[in-house]
Amino acid sequence: MNLVTQVMTTEPYASARRVFWIVDNGSSRRGQKAIYRLTTAFPNAVMVHTPVHASWPNQIAIFFSIVQRKVVQPNDFPDLTQVRDRLRAFEDRYNATAQPFQWKFTTTDLDDLPARLDRHTAAERQEESSAALAA
């Protein structure tokens, strides 16, 4: 609520007819209690939950991970102007070339997962036994 309070007490949000807060379904933002807490403090605030099965914040986190790896690192910028220019150049390039993410985890991978987990657990047990014998 600290961030919400900071935003909602600042113009133009303080006097706006409605301010939409898009949130995921984390435990502190889920259910009627969270909605009541927000609208009691700020009647013009409207809480919008993302679908449980397709979290938009997760997609945003993926995008910012790409920005972190491809733009911000190494972070040896001499000034903020260079950071801004590099981010804008990346934005232009990304918007021109972006395609939907191709998920690599297929239904076949899901079907194979229990067997992979069993193999991994068996290998760990074998390593622990070998280490115990060597000690």
Side-chain angles (χ1 to χ4, degrees):
M1 284 297 287
N2 290 342
L3 174 62
V4 173
T5 300
Q6 181 181 350
V7 170
M8 295 300 291
T9 57
T10 305
E11 290 299 335
Y13 310 104
S15 62
R17 188 166 60 89
R18 290 184 300 181
V19 178
F20 294 93
W21 285 88
I22 300 172
V23 299
D24 64 11
N25 286 280
S27 61
S28 67
R29 299 169 296 281
R30 189 175 356 167
Q32 290 301 313
K33 286 183 181 180
I35 294 169
Y36 178 79
R37 186 172 52 246
L38 179 66
T39 56
T40 299
F42 305 101
N44 62 335
V46 179
M47 187 177 289
V48 178
H49 288 92
T50 59
V52 175
H53 61 279
S55 177
W56 298 340
N58 287 346
Q59 299 304 308
I60 294 165
I62 290 170
F63 174 77
F64 281 116
S65 172
I66 292 168
V67 169
Q68 175 70 29
R69 287 180 280 117
K70 297 193 179 272
V71 180
V72 179
Q73 288 181 342
N75 58 357
D76 56 355
F77 300 101
D79 58 49
L80 291 177
T81 303
Q82 190 179 28
V83 176
R84 182 200 64 211
D85 293 347
R86 194 158 170 191
L87 283 168
R88 287 186 176 157
F90 175 78
E91 178 185 16
D92 291 343
R93 182 176 178 274
Y94 193 86
N95 286 338
T97 61
Q99 297 197 10
F101 290 107
Q102 296 297 317
W103 301 109
K104 296 179 182 173
F105 197 82
T106 66
T107 55
T108 303
D109 295 330
L110 181 61
D111 291 340
D112 294 341
L113 185 59
R116 287 181 36 227
L117 291 173
D118 287 342
R119 286 192 303 271
H120 182 70
T121 303
E124 282 181 351
R125 277 192 233 120
Q126 179 62 35
E127 287 178 22
E128 288 172 2
S129 296
S130 298
L133 290 173

